[in-house]
Amino acid sequence: MKFQKYLVFLFSFIFLTTVFSREESKIKGLSFVGSSSPISKADVLPLIDMKANWVTLMPYGFIGGDGKVNFNTKWQWWGEKAEGVKKTVILCQEDSLKIMLKPQVWMMRSYTGDYSLTTEKEWVNFENSYRDFILTFLEIAIEYDVEMFCIGTEWREFVKARPVFWDQLIKTIRTKYTGVITYAANWDDYQSVPFWQKVDLIGVNGYFPISYSKDPSLKELILGWDHHRKELGNYSKKHDRKILFTEIGYRSMLGGTIKPWDHNTRAKYSETIQDRAYKALFNVLWKESWFKGMFIWKWYHDHENQGGKGDLDFTPQNKPAEKTIRSF
């Protein structure tokens, strides 16, 4: 009888330890938007209060008229440039936050995934500048022992057209950097990325449509994840890589779960939709062993003055979703 009780205790201990370890290993991240001016310790404390253990920092580049990626320019925000990234890394590390550095190219009037060129000369010109952009911030990741580096975001046509470039870029990064490497594919093209075996995590910007109605119930949103959950799980198993949501977010408005990626449409404010969407997300995916975690899009400095009632943006700051995210 004593032996049976011992076995019950032992198996219970092993089970709980496994569950606890799995939970602790999840990435609980926030996408920390670069600020227009220098930040301080006070701007990092709300991240800690959210129970986050990771942040994404996103230095931006822009494609100029010369067909090159322009970055570290004098007209960019402080937090988008190398100077601001270094300072923000230090502030976050002082509070034991792990960091994913995610250099990202922003296109003002079009979608990055559609970007394509016609001639070899154009491609080489662009690729040389993109390599410089990525390796500039890789050096910062190396210098400050940043834990994860993202090599690109939503480059559907670029990835399809220039596989040799991406293979060479990954190889170059591997020779310099010992941290975790990922790539942020969009939700609708992650299955066409050819180099998942060469990086450590399958990165997905998880803006999956999860409802057809503007004001869905929590049950509808949970059901809306079912197909995506199965596909993601099968894909993770196929490639023997865990999946990380390099971005995931919902705007606080009616219809915010129909096309979650849409950052232009305006609709009636609804903090409830945003909150339900996060509850569904955590309820469906958080327990999955293949799911490494997420970086919530997005979080601003000067927390007290961000988000709040009437704000249609993705940020959960000062809205009910903030409490929901913290609780999970």
Side-chain angles (χ1 to χ4, degrees), residues 144-206:
Y144 290 91
D145 294 321
V146 167
E147 290 85 356
M148 191 185 308
F149 190 82
C150 183
I151 66 173
T153 299
E154 297 179 356
W155 287 113
R156 183 189 62 228
E157 296 302 318
F158 184 11
V159 166
K160 187 189 302 182
R162 309 293 286 183
V164 174
F165 169 82
W166 289 97
D167 287 348
Q168 291 175 343
L169 181 64
I170 293 167
K171 187 175 181 179
T172 299
I173 292 170
R174 285 285 188 207
T175 64
K176 299 170 176 284
Y177 179 66
T178 58
V180 175
I181 299 173
T182 190
Y183 165 78
N186 200 26
W187 68 274
D188 60 353
D189 65 24
Y190 72 91
Q191 296 192 44
S192 64
V193 175
F195 50 72
W196 290 130
Q197 297 298 324
K198 297 174 183 177
V199 299
D200 302 302
L201 292 170
I202 296 172
V204 179
N205 286 354

Side-chain angles (χ1 to χ4, degrees), residues 62-251:
F62 301 84
I63 299 176
D66 56 1
K68 295 180 179 180
V69 178
N70 298 317
F71 60 99
N72 280 339
T73 62
K74 62 182 180 180
W75 50 266
Q76 284 185 256
W77 283 7
W78 176 85
E80 296 176 347
K81 298 186 288 186
E83 172 196 3
V85 168
K86 290 178 182 179
K87 176 64 175 177
T88 307
V89 165
I90 293 169
L91 288 171
C92 290
Q93 288 178 337
E94 286 175 351
D95 278 312
S96 300
L97 287 165
K98 294 182 179 181
I99 296 163
M100 176 170 75
L101 194 52
K102 183 169 169 272
Q104 192 162 336
V105 175
W106 179 253
M107 300 182 69
M108 305 297 285
R109 296 179 179 84
S110 58
Y111 169 51
T112 312
D114 292 332
Y115 188 73
S116 188
L117 296 166
T118 306
T119 69
E120 181 68 15
K121 184 179 179 180
E122 289 174 326
W123 273 119
V124 171
N125 179 54
F126 171 70
E127 287 171 346
N128 287 340
S129 69
Y130 185 77
R131 185 185 295 106
D132 289 344
F133 173 56
I134 292 298
L135 296 184
T136 294
F137 289 99
L138 181 72
E139 291 303 319
I140 294 176
I142 294 167
E143 180 182 357
Y144 290 91
D145 294 321
V146 167
E147 290 85 356
M148 191 185 308
F149 190 82
C150 183
I151 66 173
T153 299
E154 297 179 356
W155 287 113
R156 183 189 62 228
E157 296 302 318
F158 184 11
V159 166
K160 187 189 302 182
R162 309 293 286 183
V164 174
F165 169 82
W166 289 97
D167 287 348
Q168 291 175 343
L169 181 64
I170 293 167
K171 187 175 181 179
T172 299
I173 292 170
R174 285 285 188 207
T175 64
K176 299 170 176 284
Y177 179 66
T178 58
V180 175
I181 299 173
T182 190
Y183 165 78
N186 200 26
W187 68 274
D188 60 353
D189 65 24
Y190 72 91
Q191 296 192 44
S192 64
V193 175
F195 50 72
W196 290 130
Q197 297 298 324
K198 297 174 183 177
V199 299
D200 302 302
L201 292 170
I202 296 172
V204 179
N205 286 354
Y207 302 107
F208 296 90
I210 53 172
S211 78
Y212 293 104
S213 58
K214 291 183 177 180
D215 189 11
S217 65
L218 178 59
K219 182 179 180 181
E220 181 182 341
L221 295 175
I222 288 173
L223 289 173
W225 268 110
D226 194 50
H227 172 71
H228 305 307
R229 177 185 62 80
K230 290 174 182 175
E231 277 203 339
L232 288 161
N234 290 336
Y235 197 75
S236 171
K237 185 177 181 180
K238 176 182 176 181
H239 290 275
D240 192 29
R241 293 288 186 276
K242 290 195 174 186
I243 290 176
L244 169 69
F245 278 0
T246 36
E247 291 177 21
I248 179 70
Y250 302 94
R251 294 175 66 195

